[in-house]
Amino acid sequence: MKQKILSRAACLGLALALAAALSGCLPCPSSAPQPGWDQDGLHAALEQCVCYGQGEAGVSLKTVVAACGMLDWAEDNPAAPADDEISRCVEDWLGEKDLKTRQRFWDNWPSIDQQAREILADPEACRDLLASAGNPQRHEQYSSGCYLRLSGCILACEDC
């Protein structure tokens, strides 16, 4: 009887862990746990998102570089604090920018986010584009949960 109860508890635990993993609720893997998070690095990644405008020459390559900057920051900072603190950091960065720069960020963000999601979904299909952009990614692969969390925090600032 004890073995059957233990077996059911183990199955339930495994099922919950699998459900959490599939929903992206488990912590992001990293090479080493980090005690804090890099706000300056996030600001630097955000700066890459405004160093060009739509319609400029090389915009697709600049978008890849910006997307990799966001992916890299997310991957390097799995121990970042609560989402509202990340959003506040993004809000603070945006608040320091003039209206034109903030507008440029929101004009560029959809294509940056889309490119990051494409890299997450199929990095092999993006290999040539990444090579053309100078291989700006610092990681061989990325954790979708880490990036999707960051993306959600950024989108939470859209109406700010």
Short mmCIF file of all heavy atoms in Angstrom, two decimals, residues 6-26:
data_model
loop_
_atom_site.label_atom_id
_atom_site.label_comp_id
_atom_site.label_asym_id
_atom_site.label_seq_id
_atom_site.Cartn_x
_atom_site.Cartn_y
_atom_site.Cartn_z
N LEU A 6 3.24 6.03 -2.62
CA LEU A 6 4.46 6.69 -3.02
C LEU A 6 4.55 6.78 -4.53
O LEU A 6 4.93 7.80 -5.09
CB LEU A 6 5.68 5.94 -2.46
CG LEU A 6 7.04 6.54 -2.78
CD1 LEU A 6 7.14 7.96 -2.24
CD2 LEU A 6 8.14 5.68 -2.20
N SER A 7 4.16 5.73 -5.20
CA SER A 7 4.20 5.71 -6.66
C SER A 7 3.26 6.76 -7.24
O SER A 7 3.61 7.45 -8.18
CB SER A 7 3.82 4.30 -7.13
OG SER A 7 3.99 4.20 -8.51
N ARG A 8 2.07 6.90 -6.67
CA ARG A 8 1.12 7.93 -7.14
C ARG A 8 1.66 9.32 -6.88
O ARG A 8 1.54 10.21 -7.72
CB ARG A 8 -0.24 7.75 -6.46
CG ARG A 8 -1.02 6.60 -6.99
CD ARG A 8 -2.37 6.53 -6.35
NE ARG A 8 -3.06 5.33 -6.80
CZ ARG A 8 -4.16 4.87 -6.27
NH1 ARG A 8 -4.70 5.49 -5.25
NH2 ARG A 8 -4.72 3.79 -6.74
N ALA A 9 2.27 9.52 -5.70
CA ALA A 9 2.84 10.83 -5.37
C ALA A 9 3.98 11.17 -6.33
O ALA A 9 4.11 12.31 -6.78
CB ALA A 9 3.33 10.85 -3.92
N ALA A 10 4.80 10.17 -6.63
CA ALA A 10 5.91 10.41 -7.57
C ALA A 10 5.38 10.76 -8.95
O ALA A 10 5.90 11.67 -9.61
CB ALA A 10 6.81 9.18 -7.63
N CYS A 11 4.36 10.04 -9.39
CA CYS A 11 3.76 10.34 -10.71
C CYS A 11 3.16 11.73 -10.73
O CYS A 11 3.32 12.46 -11.72
CB CYS A 11 2.70 9.29 -11.05
SG CYS A 11 3.39 7.69 -11.48
N LEU A 12 2.48 12.11 -9.65
CA LEU A 12 1.88 13.44 -9.59
C LEU A 12 2.97 14.51 -9.63
O LEU A 12 2.86 15.50 -10.35
CB LEU A 12 1.04 13.58 -8.32
CG LEU A 12 0.39 14.95 -8.11
CD1 LEU A 12 -0.57 15.26 -9.26
CD2 LEU A 12 -0.35 14.98 -6.79
N GLY A 13 4.05 14.29 -8.88
CA GLY A 13 5.16 15.25 -8.88
C GLY A 13 5.79 15.39 -10.25
O GLY A 13 6.08 16.49 -10.70
N LEU A 14 5.99 14.26 -10.91
CA LEU A 14 6.56 14.31 -12.26
C LEU A 14 5.62 15.00 -13.24
O LEU A 14 6.05 15.77 -14.10
CB LEU A 14 6.89 12.91 -12.75
CG LEU A 14 8.10 12.25 -12.07
CD1 LEU A 14 8.21 10.80 -12.50
CD2 LEU A 14 9.36 12.99 -12.42
N ALA A 15 4.33 14.74 -13.10
CA ALA A 15 3.35 15.37 -13.99
C ALA A 15 3.34 16.88 -13.78
O ALA A 15 3.28 17.66 -14.74
CB ALA A 15 1.96 14.79 -13.75
N LEU A 16 3.40 17.33 -12.51
CA LEU A 16 3.43 18.76 -12.24
C LEU A 16 4.71 19.41 -12.77
O LEU A 16 4.67 20.50 -13.33
CB LEU A 16 3.29 19.02 -10.74
CG LEU A 16 1.90 18.73 -10.15
CD1 LEU A 16 1.95 18.85 -8.63
CD2 LEU A 16 0.87 19.66 -10.73
N ALA A 17 5.83 18.73 -12.61
CA ALA A 17 7.09 19.26 -13.13
C ALA A 17 7.05 19.37 -14.65
O ALA A 17 7.51 20.35 -15.23
CB ALA A 17 8.26 18.38 -12.69
N LEU A 18 6.50 18.37 -15.31
CA LEU A 18 6.39 18.40 -16.77
C LEU A 18 5.47 19.53 -17.21
O LEU A 18 5.78 20.27 -18.14
CB LEU A 18 5.87 17.06 -17.30
CG LEU A 18 5.67 16.97 -18.81
CD1 LEU A 18 6.99 17.22 -19.53
CD2 LEU A 18 5.10 15.63 -19.20
N ALA A 19 4.34 19.69 -16.53
CA ALA A 19 3.41 20.78 -16.87
C ALA A 19 4.09 22.13 -16.69
O ALA A 19 3.94 23.03 -17.51
CB ALA A 19 2.15 20.68 -16.01
N ALA A 20 4.85 22.29 -15.60
CA ALA A 20 5.54 23.55 -15.37
C ALA A 20 6.58 23.81 -16.45
O ALA A 20 6.74 24.91 -16.95
CB ALA A 20 6.19 23.55 -13.99
N ALA A 21 7.30 22.76 -16.82
CA ALA A 21 8.33 22.91 -17.86
C ALA A 21 7.71 23.31 -19.19
O ALA A 21 8.22 24.17 -19.90
CB ALA A 21 9.13 21.62 -18.01
N LEU A 22 6.60 22.68 -19.53
CA LEU A 22 5.95 22.99 -20.81
C LEU A 22 5.34 24.37 -20.82
O LEU A 22 5.21 24.99 -21.86
CB LEU A 22 4.89 21.93 -21.13
CG LEU A 22 5.45 20.54 -21.44
CD1 LEU A 22 4.31 19.54 -21.61
CD2 LEU A 22 6.32 20.56 -22.68
N SER A 23 4.96 24.88 -19.65
CA SER A 23 4.36 26.21 -19.60
C SER A 23 5.41 27.31 -19.45
O SER A 23 5.08 28.48 -19.44
CB SER A 23 3.36 26.30 -18.45
OG SER A 23 4.04 26.26 -17.20
N GLY A 24 6.67 26.93 -19.31
CA GLY A 24 7.73 27.92 -19.19
C GLY A 24 7.90 28.46 -17.78
O GLY A 24 8.49 29.50 -17.59
N CYS A 25 7.36 27.77 -16.78
CA CYS A 25 7.42 28.26 -15.41
C CYS A 25 8.67 27.84 -14.65
O CYS A 25 8.89 28.29 -13.54
CB CYS A 25 6.20 27.78 -14.62
SG CYS A 25 4.67 28.49 -15.23
N LEU A 26 9.44 26.95 -15.20
CA LEU A 26 10.66 26.56 -14.52
C LEU A 26 11.73 27.61 -14.76
O LEU A 26 11.71 28.31 -15.77
CB LEU A 26 11.15 25.19 -15.02
CG LEU A 26 10.29 24.01 -14.65
CD1 LEU A 26 10.88 22.73 -15.23
CD2 LEU A 26 10.16 23.86 -13.14
#
